[in-house]
Structure formats: structure tokens, C-alpha cells
Amino acid sequence: MAEAQDSLLGLVEEFVSGQQDSKAAEVAAGVKDGLFTVLQLVEALGSCLANTEPRTRGRGVQLLSQVLLQCYANLREKEVEVLVVFYENRLKDHHVITPHVLQGLKALSMSVVFPPGLAVSVLKSVFQEIHVQSLMQLDRHTVYTIITNFMNNREEELKSLGADFTFGFIQVMDGEKDPRNLLVAFRIVQNIITKGYALGPFVEELFEVTSCYFPIDFTPPPNDPHGITREDLIVGLRGVLASTPRFAEFLLPLVIEKMDSDIQSAKVDALQTLTAACAVYEQKELKEFLSGLWSSIRREVFQTASDKVESEGLAALHALSASLSRSVLGPDSEDLLDIFLTNILKDCKHHLCEPDMKLVWPSAKLLQAAAAASSRACRKVTANVLPLLLEQYNQHAQSSHRRTILEMTLGFLKLQSKWLHEEDENGLVSFKDPLCSMVFSAVTDPSTQLQQVAVKALTVLGTHQGFLSSGDIDLIVDHLTRLILEAADSQSCQAAIESSGSLARVHPSVFISRMVSPLCSRLQTVPMESTESPDGAIPQHAMWQRCHEALAAVSTHHSIVQETVPILLDYVRQTHKGEINAEDVVAVCKSLHHVAVLCQENAESLFYYHQKVVPCLLSLTVQAAMQDRGTAADLHVLLSDSVLTAMVPLIIASTSRLSPE
């Protein structure tokens, strides 16, 4: 025992007087091995801790702290209690000792046997005895770490301090400039707010000590080893500023000020922060600032040359509308959403009627952003805007103007679809006849671009269950079939095929009778080999491919799959008659693969497909192999590399989602 004590005294002497830093590890190893205790180390340090030279005392405390950082898990509660008292006293010592004291307190703050009540005592000592911002960066970081550890492990104790804890941290953080420390400090403030620590009368002070960094202006130095980015700091600060409605009266004027800045990054940051804050705000926080916020957002969307600023402005407007939509209205409370939307409509509606259409799209985007926030917002905006758009469509004869108006209308139709599940009745009911008239007129217009927008509008209207009559649905499918079979423009045809795929899920029987049948009839009259087509007519082979692609696209319902799969397989069977070449078989296989992917959504369709397609393809291929004469010239079309390669994905698609049975 005496030998161990002598060894310890020797190690202490070598560390303190001999300046041999490596001896700390040897002391720590001795503590871990049970050769001596931490309290025996404190006794061994006695003479140097009482030394009149601050640097000698500092070396003694440094040794103890370095040992604790390696051995804190081995400490007993009584040892921690003694050490806390020791370190609290040392906080009053010379400033050169303070960094080593903080390292020791950091080690103790990680101990699982830290005695109840002492966390408050330690933090009070830190708040009272240290001017944190006069410390070096690493030492300030140590203070933040001690606070973080206690917040994680001793939350209720810290909350017993009330607002004194918040005020103490404000003093600790005030003036911090190092990005590494700011990231930690922002997390602490966010936890103070979100975990319900008392803010007391210090709400504005807490806002000020963090908002002074807004917007973040930080460029990391080249080859920065710490890897902290400007985005890290922006997200950290935003997490603070947008974390509580209690900051609203201070944050919203600041956001408006930064939106009016000439610096684009400041505008973007301000708009993104507003969007985040709206998630926790209600109308009482926003009421006073709505007019200023709307003016700034409107200006940015109308005037900016930056897509980023525009998109963030629209997102912020959507967030404002959503926040107002969430607010529960009392019998005597103002409907701020209605007032807000009325102002937006007043400032934007008239632009939809301007002959030069310069501000048409910015206005439409603003209206749609506000309307998209809730069912109530959508109904209000749509009811005001749709009559105007319908009137404008009829007043403009030019296809380009009509396309713009129809595209705007399409945007509002999509929004209405989003909220259908919350509505007792479709908000478009009163506009049904003029809407159908506009869209059916556009789909027959000579302008292919107008046709394509009309097809998208037909798709949206056709998916509104119960909105259109059966006659309207028949007419939609007839128009889509016509475009597939007759449209000279391939893009109009492709739009019709995509639309058919969406609508066939909802109206399968109509597609079987009014599209699948006409496509089959056309296929029977179209020769597969390329032949000359009359001028202006769709080439025969292109027509054959269109029909197959459309048959595959509409195979979105089991009843349709039972119709289309046999038709497609018949073309593969024709290989045995030599009536189809390898390129066309590959095209059919691609269509069958498309069907297989669509069938994966429905177990019944997938089982049918697997039973019908896979055996057929395997059987035909085996027959072809048995008839093969072994010469390249006589190679059966089904045995060509391109065809076999095309069969693989459709077999995989049809088997990978089957039930184990």
C-alpha cells in the first residue's frame, strides 16, 4: 500500500514539476486497476494545490481532471460529491486554472452517480464565477458541454432553477462568435424552449441573444477540418427562432425587414424561417403582421428574377394560409383566413384579365399557393377565380392565350382534387357545365399544345368520383381513343395514353367497350410490316405500336387485364407463322412487361397474368428451340438474343411479387 502511495507521489511530481504529460495516463491506469483512488490522488496533490504559484496549482488540477476524464465511470457517489465541492472552490481561483477546472466538471457531469441537487450547485457556480465569453473557444465549448450533459441527465433539477437557468445561459452565450460553439448553443436554446424550461421575463433577451446571428453570414475557411457548413448554422438557428409562438412579436418584424433586403440569401433565409415558424403559429400571433408579410411576399413573387426566392415566397404564403386555416374560430372571433384570402384575391385577380398577361402566372401561383393550404382556402379561392378564368377563355380566341388560361384552370382543378375527401360535395359542381364545355372544346382544338393541357384537365375531372355524368365519361374516353388513333402529333398521343392509364382504374368498363375494342379493331386492319402511308397519315407501323402501348397502359384493372393480355399474347404466337419480326416481338414484350408492373398492385391480376403469360412464353420458346435447325439463317425469332432478353424482365416482374403459395 505504501509502495503504491509512493508511486503515486512520484507520478504527481513528474507531471507537475517535470512537465511530463504522459504521466496522467499512468495515474489513470492505476485508478482503474485499483492501486489507488481518486481521493488519494487529491491528497497526493495537496502540496501543489496549496502552492502560491498559480501555474503549479493549475498543473495539479490539470492532472486530476485528465484522470477523471478517463475514470469518471469508476467513481462512487461520495467521491463525486467531494470532487464537486473541490472544483466549485477552484472556480474562485486564478483564471489560469479555470480551463482545467472546467475539464474536471465536464468529466463529473458524465457520471451516472452524480448526486441529486449538485447539478444546480455546479451551474450556479459557473454562472456566478466565470465570464464565459472571456475564455478560449475550447473552454467555452466545455461549458456548453457541461450544460448539455446536465440538461440530458438532470432536467428536473435544472427546471427547479426556474427562469434563473435561462438567464444564466443567456449570459453564457451572449457574444459567442465561434461556429463550433454556436451549433451547440443553438441546440441548448432549442431544448430550453421545446422541453418547457421557464423563460420568465427573459423571452425577448433569449430571442435577442440568438436572433443577432440572423441571417447567418458564414463562409467556412478552405480545408476546414471541423466540417461545419453555413447550412448547419442556418438550420440550427432556424430551429431556435421558429420553435415557439412567444418569439412571434420579435421574429415577424425581423423577417419582414430581411425580406426587404437586397441580399438574395437573406431573403431566402427569411422566407424559409417564416415557413418554419408558421408550423407553431396561430392567427393571434400572425394577425398584426399579415398585411406586411403579404406585401413582402407579393413583391418578391412579382418582381424577383430568382426561381429560388419565388418558390420560397410561395411556400411561405402556403404556410401562412395553413396556419390561419388551423385556427379554431370562436363565435365572436374574426375569420382572419377569409380576410387574408380576400386581400390576396383583390391584389391578384385583376392580373388574370390583363391583355398582355405579364403578371398572369405570378398571380396564379400566389392564388394557388394560398388555396392549397386547406379545404376552406381552396373553396374560397376557387369560387372567386374559376368564373373569371372561364370567362377569359371564351373571350380569347388565340390558342396560346387559351392554353395559359387552361393551364391555370388545371392548377385549381388539381387543388380541388386534393381536398375532395374532406368535402361533403365537390366545390366544382356549380361550374361543371362551363368547365366541360371549355375542356371538350380545347381537346378538339388544332393546337397540339392546347390539346395536351386539355387531356390533363380531362384526367383530373374524370377522377372526381360522381362529378361527371356517364355520358361525359363516354365522351372523354372517345376523345382519348381518337387522339391515340388519329393525332398526328406523337406528344398528344402520349398524353392521351398516360391519361387513359389513370382513368381506366376508375372507369374500367367504359375503357373496355370504348377504347380496348376500337384498338383491337384497328390492329386487325393494320399490317405489321412497314408500308407506305398516305401523306399526312400516321405510318402503319407507328399505329401498330401506339395500339399496343395503349393496351398496356390501360391494364390497370383486373377486368381490363383479362381483355388486353390475350390480345398481346396473340402477337407473340404469330411468330410460329413467321408473321412478326424480332423487333416487333421485343415491342410486344415491353408492353407485356408494362402490364406485369401494373398488375403488381393487384394480387388477382398478378395471379392471372402469371398463369396466363409465363407458361405461354415458356411453351412457345421451348417449341421454337425444338424446331431449331442450328443455323443462324434459320434461327427462330423467339430464340434471338434481343427477344430472350426482353422476356426476362416481364417474367421477373410477374413472379417477384407473388404470394409464397
Side-chain angles (χ1 to χ4, degrees):
M1 192 74 180
E3 188 179 323
Q5 191 65 25
D6 290 341
S7 170
L8 176 58
L9 287 168
L11 290 170
V12 168
E13 181 66 24
E14 289 172 353
F15 183 92
V16 175
S17 302
Q19 301 290 313
Q20 296 185 41
D21 290 352
S22 62
K23 297 304 174 183
E26 293 183 38
V27 176
V31 172
K32 287 179 180 176
D33 295 340
L35 298 177
F36 30 80
T37 66
V38 170
L39 294 184
Q40 286 173 330
L41 171 59
V42 175
E43 289 175 18
L45 287 166
S47 60
C48 67
L49 293 177
N51 195 292
T52 56
E53 174 56 47
R55 296 197 181 278
T56 303
R57 298 199 301 278
R59 284 294 285 179
V61 176
Q62 183 182 1
L63 173 58
L64 177 59
S65 296
Q66 288 190 9
V67 170
L68 287 177
L69 284 168
Q70 297 182 56
C71 302
Y72 65 86
N74 303 87
L75 295 172
R76 296 191 299 274
E77 185 174 319
K78 189 64 181 174
E79 291 175 318
V80 175
E81 189 174 339
V82 172
L83 288 165
V84 166
V85 174
F86 166 78
Y87 276 117
E88 285 182 347
N89 286 326
R90 289 294 157 176
L91 281 174
K92 300 170 184 174
D93 204 335
H94 196 279
H95 66 86
V96 299
I97 300 172
T98 301
H100 309 309
V101 176
L102 292 172
Q103 288 296 318
L105 288 172
K106 181 174 86 169
L108 294 176
S109 72
M110 295 186 282
S111 170
V112 294
V113 295
F114 199 90
L118 285 190
V120 168
S121 177
V122 168
L123 288 185
K124 279 184 174 179
S125 297
V126 169
F127 293 160
Q128 288 169 10
E129 303 297 341
I130 307 175
H131 180 246
V132 175
Q133 288 306 314
S134 66
L135 300 174
M136 300 293 286
Q137 180 273 326
L138 179 61
D139 302 325
R140 301 198 305 276
H141 193 278
T142 303
V143 173
Y144 295 129
T145 304
I146 293 168
I147 294 170
T148 300
N149 290 342
F150 284 145
M151 289 180 76
N152 290 337
N153 305 323
R154 295 288 186 271
E155 182 177 318
E156 292 310 314
E157 286 180 36
L158 267 53
K159 285 182 177 176
S160 71
L161 273 169
D164 287 346
F165 173 69
T166 301
F167 181 66
F169 182 74
I170 290 170
Q171 290 181 305
V172 166
M173 182 185 173
D174 193 9
E176 182 59 68
K177 290 183 174 61
D178 190 276
R180 292 163 289 183
N181 292 348
L182 283 172
L183 275 182
V184 186
F186 290 157
R187 279 196 292 271
I188 291 172
V189 178
Q190 189 171 4
N191 284 330
I192 287 174
I193 294 166
T194 58
K195 293 188 176 180
Y197 286 78
L199 304 186
F202 305 116
V203 175
E204 186 171 4
E205 286 81 355
L206 189 61
F207 176 79
E208 292 295 340
V209 82
T210 49
S211 65
C212 61
Y213 302 101
F214 180 78
I216 293 289
D217 181 19
F218 168 69
T219 304
N223 306 316
D224 177 22
H226 308 293
I228 293 173
T229 65
R230 180 172 174 271
E231 189 61 26
D232 293 332
L233 292 167
I234 287 172
V235 171
L237 178 56
R238 186 174 300 143
V240 172
L241 299 180
S243 60
T244 173
R246 298 179 71 181
F247 280 169
E249 62 180 303
F250 314 116
L251 177 62
L252 293 177
L254 182 61
V255 163
I256 292 171
E257 177 192 325
K258 299 306 177 186
M259 275 198 273
D260 295 344
S261 160
D262 294 329
I263 303 167
Q264 183 175 313
S265 60
K267 292 178 187 287
V268 170
D269 200 354
L271 289 163
Q272 289 176 338
T273 302
L274 173 59
T275 300
C278 283
V280 298
Y281 288 0
E282 294 186 9
Q283 69 175 33
K284 64 178 181 293
E285 284 84 32
L286 295 168
K287 180 178 180 180
E288 184 184 339
F289 305 99
L290 281 174
S291 177
L293 289 167
W294 162 239
S295 296
S296 295
I297 290 171
R298 180 188 63 208
R299 185 192 63 246
E300 292 309 321
V301 175
F302 276 171
Q303 297 178 7
T304 187
S306 161
D307 290 341
K308 181 68 174 171
V309 172
E310 181 190 84
S311 67
E312 295 302 341
L314 295 172
L317 181 61
H318 178 275
L320 282 168
S321 184
S323 180
L324 296 173
S325 299
R326 282 195 306 271
S327 299
V328 179
L329 297 177
D332 301 319
S333 58
E334 277 186 294
D335 186 351
L336 281 189
L337 176 66
D338 189 72
I339 295 168
F340 186 57
L341 294 175
T342 298
N343 285 335
I344 295 172
L345 285 161
K346 180 168 71 72
D347 290 342
C348 293
K349 248 175 83 171
H350 62 278
H351 291 304
L352 304 181
C353 310
E354 290 174 354
D356 61 359
M357 292 192 150
K358 188 162 59 173
L359 289 175
V360 159
W361 271 118
S363 298
K365 288 176 182 178
L366 287 164
L367 289 165
Q368 287 170 8
S374 68
S375 170
R376 196 153 59 100
C378 186
R379 183 179 280 270
K380 162 102 177 168
V381 174
T382 303
N384 278 273
V385 171
L386 270 188
L388 190 63
L389 292 175
L390 290 164
E391 180 187 332
Q392 288 297 302
Y393 184 88
N394 292 324
Q395 286 180 2
H396 285 278
Q398 272 185 278
S399 294
S400 60
H401 283 171
R402 286 190 156 192
R403 187 182 84 242
T404 300
I405 294 162
L406 188 55
E407 282 176 336
M408 286 189 286
T409 306
L410 175 61
F412 288 103
L413 295 181
K414 287 178 177 177
L415 292 181
Q416 193 68 40
S417 300
K418 177 182 174 183
W419 299 109
L420 272 180
H421 64 286
E422 291 190 12
E423 295 283 339
D424 294 330
E425 69 170 44
N426 195 321
L428 300 174
V429 166
S430 56
F431 306 110
K432 174 186 170 297
D433 290 340
L435 269 174
C436 287
S437 173
M438 175 172 74
V439 178
F440 286 141
S441 124
V443 81
T444 56
D445 193 273
S447 165
T448 56
Q449 291 177 316
L450 182 54
Q451 283 177 13
Q452 288 160 34
V453 181
V455 167
K456 291 176 183 176
L458 288 175
T459 309
V460 175
L461 292 175
T463 51
H464 286 204
Q465 288 279 22
F467 178 62
L468 298 177
S469 67
S470 58
D472 292 329
I473 299 298
D474 289 348
L475 190 53
I476 287 176
V477 179
D478 289 346
H479 278 303
L480 295 175
T481 305
R482 174 184 58 78
L483 288 171
I484 292 168
L485 296 177
E486 298 176 15
D489 179 72
S490 61
Q491 288 183 319
S492 294
C493 169
Q494 196 57 45
I497 290 173
E498 288 174 12
S499 172
S500 300
S502 300
L503 292 175
R505 299 171 190 272
V506 190
H507 311 286
S509 58
V510 183
F511 273 85
I512 290 171
S513 62
R514 304 189 82 89
M515 180 173 283
V516 174
S517 293
L519 291 176
C520 289
S521 300
R522 179 60 64 92
L523 279 170
Q524 289 167 7
T525 64
V526 175
M528 281 173 286
E529 66 277 2
S530 296
T531 56
E532 291 295 320
S533 302
D535 289 344
I538 301 163
Q540 300 283 15
H541 193 257
M543 177 62 70
W544 183 84
Q545 288 181 316
R546 276 187 185 193
C547 291
H548 279 98
E549 192 178 337
L551 287 170
V554 298
S555 301
T556 51
H557 190 277
H558 182 60
S559 60
I560 304 178
V561 172
Q562 290 176 304
E563 299 287 333
T564 56
V565 163
I567 297 167
L568 294 170
L569 282 178
D570 277 346
Y571 281 90
V572 183
R573 290 192 183 96
Q574 290 177 30
T575 56
H576 282 287
K577 302 176 186 175
E579 296 176 359
I580 186 168
N581 61 34
E583 184 183 346
D584 291 336
V585 178
V586 168
V588 175
C589 286
K590 285 180 179 176
S591 294
L592 283 168
H593 176 248
H594 188 184
V595 177
V597 171
L598 294 171
C599 286
Q600 289 177 346
E601 300 172 18
N602 180 284
E604 187 183 14
S605 296
L606 189 59
F607 183 73
Y608 170 83
Y609 183 98
H610 189 263
Q611 295 292 94
K612 192 83 175 172
V613 176
V614 176
C616 177
L617 292 181
L618 293 177
S619 170
L620 291 171
T621 308
V622 169
Q623 286 178 43
M626 292 173 67
Q627 296 167 11
D628 183 36
R629 298 177 186 174
T631 61
D634 295 325
L635 184 69
H636 193 284
V637 68
L638 288 181
L639 302 180
S640 68
D641 285 348
S642 61
V643 171
L644 292 171
T645 302
M647 286 184 185
V648 171
L650 71 89
I651 294 174
I652 291 172
S654 70
T655 54
S656 61
R657 298 281 183 91
L658 286 174
S659 64
E661 295 79 27

